Amino acid sequence: MADRNRAAAQTVVVLGGGIGGVATANRLRRRLGRRHRIVLVNRDPDFTFPASYLWVMSGQRRPNQVTRPLQALQRRGIDVVIGAVEAIDPANRTVTVEGRQITADHLVVSLGADNAADTVSGLKVAGETFATLEGAQRLGPAVRALTRGRVLIVTAAPLYRCPAAPYEATLLIDGMLRRNGVRGSVEIALHSAEPGPMAVAGANVSVAVIALLADRGIDYHPSHQITAAETGRADFADGQSEVFDLLVYMPPIRPPAVVAASPLASTGGWVDADRHTLATAFPGVYAIGDNTQLPLSIGKPLPRAGVFAHSQARVVADNIAATIQGRRAPASFDGHGGCFIDTGFGKAGYGSGDFYAEPSPKVSIRPPARRWHLAKVAFEYNVMWRLR
Ligand SMILES: Cc1cc2nc3c(=O)[nH]c(=O)nc-3n(C[C@H](O)[C@H](O)[C@H](O)COP(=O)(O)OP(=O)(O)OC[C@H]3O[C@@H](n4cnc5c(N)ncnc54)[C@H](O)[C@@H]3O)c2cc1C
């Protein structure tokens, strides 16, 4: 869109080249004339799509199908800086990237959440995770190698990225074992630190997911917090222990260290932002995605999910572009979103609704069907295509 008033050239800096950061930079580039500079900063040279790590585990994707070089954005007129953000000074909208300072007229912080598996003693050594690309690459062969025994799957804390992911992973692992013809001799138990699956979405969603697990003969234990693990044995907060042949975990998360150390940090080191505009307390500074803590009416935060980071990116990009172009900032994030839960065998369920509804989120869940699996593939395509 052409600038109406030929405003002075401005620089927008986007921190983080994950789902939220890439969507923000792409949309800004489409909204703003080329004389405005858009800079995207990311620690790693590649973008990877976490929602597809589960398909890497199950063998439905190769790692290179869910990975794209961020430098591809250069072709679209986005300046890509590869390096670790070491400091954020929101009052001056200045960031330090490997010793070099970059100052912005508008700053968007989308640095995600760090995995914190080290908060449970022995977990990283005794278990495998699907929450990183490398982990998913190791976990797939480990599941396929099983011919008998016991898979123990745990969520290692109530707070983690994507509330559906561990339940989805459990159903996909069940499908892998069934395809190998060994499910009859491999037991699967899922112990969650939280009181129920996707509980923020409401009791109806939890009940539906528990039914999916029960249909597959998966033993489910809610509110069972793992405290330590060693080869073949996991200990829980109530003093019980569980044995396993394969331990699979969803790691807890913590705010990125650079965010927690910055003046942006608020509740628990996360960023507080206006839940509709994603504006922080610092003028011209916005925060989106996993590094924010957005309150819901039930006292819990909005779940960390790529669909929300993606929607918030659109709102922030549109409002920054409007501000630069001297228009009213019209966009508002309304808390709507949905999450797929792939159940294997070409089907997925879909939980979606209004997470900002009062007095509690209004979310419904559709039973597993081919169309929701295809919709999940379309979401993946939509994100990856913008990095071609
Ligand atoms: C296994 C799994 C499955 C999932 N499935 C789904 C799903 O089906 N649907 C869904 O909606 N969501 C899903 N999610 C959640 C989704 O991936 C996240 O919510 C989403 O990626 C958040 O986007 P973001 O931009 O906030 O953070 P991210 O996508 O994590 O991006 C943050 C970026 O910042 C970079 N970074 C961090 N610190 C620094 C630093 N100091 N300097 C420079 N760069 C830095 C990181 O390298 C990363 O590239 C899943 C997550 C996992 C782990």
Side-chain angles (χ1 to χ4, degrees), residues 16-21 42-44 50-51 83-85 110-112 130-131 161-162 165 250 258 288-290 304-307 309 339 376 379:
I19 292 179
N42 198 61
R43 185 171 40 203
D44 309 306
V85 179
S110 187
L111 290 168
F130 46 82
R161 299 197 294 161
C162 190
M250 183 63 165
V258 68
I288 62 169
D290 288 1
R304 270 74 177 176
V307 286
C339 205
K376 186 169 170 117
F379 179 48

Side-chain angles (χ1 to χ4, degrees), residues 223-347:
S223 298
H224 209 209
Q225 172 69 57
I226 188 171
T227 50
E230 60 186 63
T231 308
R233 197 187 100 173
D235 298 332
F236 290 81
D238 60 0
Q240 287 182 8
S241 295
E242 294 286 330
V243 294
F244 58 81
D245 297 281
L246 177 62
L247 175 65
V248 181
Y249 66 89
M250 183 63 165
I253 51 171
R254 60 165 75 97
V258 68
V259 169
S262 81
L264 282 171
S266 186
T267 325
W270 305 100
V271 186
D272 281 348
D274 181 285
R275 62 184 206 149
H276 295 292
T277 65
L278 292 315
T280 69
F282 296 88
V285 181
Y286 303 82
I288 62 169
D290 288 1
N291 62 192
T292 59
Q293 182 93 339
L294 302 179
L296 300 180
S297 51
I298 51 172
K300 294 188 173 142
L302 182 73
R304 270 74 177 176
V307 286
F308 294 133
H310 205 258
S311 305
Q312 293 163 6
R314 294 162 67 108
V315 167
V316 166
D318 286 357
N319 287 344
I320 290 174
T323 304
I324 290 174
Q325 291 159 349
R327 294 183 286 114
R328 231 168 37 85
S332 174
F333 174 63
D334 63 5
H336 281 79
C339 205
F340 303 101
I341 171 159
D342 201 283
T343 53
F345 308 102
K347 290 186 179 177

Side-chain angles (χ1 to χ4, degrees), residues 88-94 263 282-283 285:
I88 305 171
D89 171 2
N92 294 303
R93 292 189 296 274
T94 297
F282 296 88
V285 181

Side-chain angles (χ1 to χ4, degrees), residues 39 42 59-60 63 87 90 105 109 136 165-166 170 172-173 196 206 231 251 257 260-261 318-319 322 352:
V39 183
N42 198 61
Q60 290 160 273
D105 297 294
V109 184
T170 303
L172 290 177
I173 288 171
S206 284
T231 308
D318 286 357
N319 287 344
S352 69

